[in-house]
Amino acid sequence: MPWIVGVSGASGTPFAAAVLRGLLAAGESVDLVVSRASRLTLLDETGIAYRDAHWREDLAAWLARGADGKPETFDVDLSGVRHWAAGDLAAGPSSGSYPAKGMLIVPASTACVAGVALGLSKDLLQRAASVTLKERRKLVVAVRETPLSGQTLKQLVALDEAGAVVLPASPGFYAGATHIQDLVDFVGGRVLDAAGVPHGLYRRWEGELGGGSPG
């Protein structure tokens, strides 16, 4: 069964790339939904235009790109990915009878958070998230916004109460980060931790002060 990965319009497309690479490296299958708003963000942050008709080519370019913008940094096998158009409300993930392990929304915008919390299902990403909650499957919401309004905080509490894991895209520095990719991979790794997917994206805390220091 696949993991559904939803990419919303928040800044932070490198976080999504790290999660996707981690899932594929772990041998997981992925059903990918890239929202319309996120395509604008992806274009702005990477220069890559994500197109439904050419999704494999565009996804390959995106996942090969490092967080520093360097192309061809990673080599990724996309054979485990299935793409669904964001406007296709008849897609597999729109139904509770469609088999899936759960869903990871990374990054999650405040608009996406509101839509899922209110059950709006205005596109496939929101619908798939609503299905994930009602079927009591794992839903990880990697919210990426600062500061957070009171209304958004209430919506995040509502998602927590509904069973979702609310995971702010907040990197830790104890793992000895020396590069922007390290900070991105830390967030990606925490998303995979919440999903129970093994990975080697960051150095784990082992109880030793200074253990992650590059010096």
Side-chain angles (χ1 to χ4, degrees):
M1 293 193 295
W3 283 97
I4 302 168
V5 176
V7 186
S8 80
S11 176
T13 55
F15 296 133
V19 168
L20 288 165
R21 286 192 296 264
L23 287 170
L24 295 173
E28 299 285 347
S29 296
V30 173
D31 277 18
L32 180 62
V33 182
V34 181
S35 77
R36 291 174 180 174
S38 70
R39 300 175 193 218
L40 298 176
T41 306
L42 182 64
L43 182 62
D44 183 55
E45 293 183 345
T46 69
I48 296 171
Y50 190 93
R51 303 158 294 175
D52 288 330
H54 303 279
W55 70 268
R56 189 173 294 277
E57 172 187 344
D58 299 336
L59 181 61
W62 175 21
L63 298 191
R65 183 185 179 93
D68 59 359
K70 184 179 179 181
E72 299 181 5
T73 299
F74 299 98
D75 184 16
V76 182
D77 179 4
L78 300 182
S79 59
V81 181
R82 184 172 185 177
H83 163 83
W84 298 97
D88 184 6
L89 290 177
S94 69
S95 172
S97 66
Y98 184 78
K101 291 183 177 180
M103 183 173 184
L104 315 176
I105 304 177
V106 53
S109 66
T110 54
C112 174
V113 166
V116 176
L118 296 173
L120 297 183
S121 297
K122 75 177 185 67
D123 61 9
L124 180 58
L125 193 158
Q126 291 185 12
R127 172 59 185 168
S130 294
V131 167
T132 301
L133 287 176
K134 80 180 183 69
E135 297 295 327
R136 302 296 190 266
R137 297 168 183 161
K138 177 77 73 176
L139 175 64
V140 182
V141 180
V143 61
R144 215 304 306 164
E145 184 60 274
T146 190
L148 294 171
S149 70
Q151 191 61 43
T152 297
L153 290 170
K154 292 176 183 176
Q155 291 159 351
L156 290 172
V157 169
L159 288 178
D160 175 79
E161 292 175 343
V165 175
V166 176
L167 195 152
S170 176
F173 292 82
Y174 61 80
T178 59
H179 191 278
I180 186 174
Q181 189 68 54
D182 297 327
L183 299 176
V184 168
D185 284 347
F186 181 91
V187 172
R190 294 300 286 153
V191 172
L192 296 179
D193 286 344
V197 176
H199 66 87
L201 289 178
Y202 69 89
R203 173 190 172 275
R204 297 184 181 279
W205 175 252
E206 297 177 349
E208 179 185 354
L209 292 175
S213 173

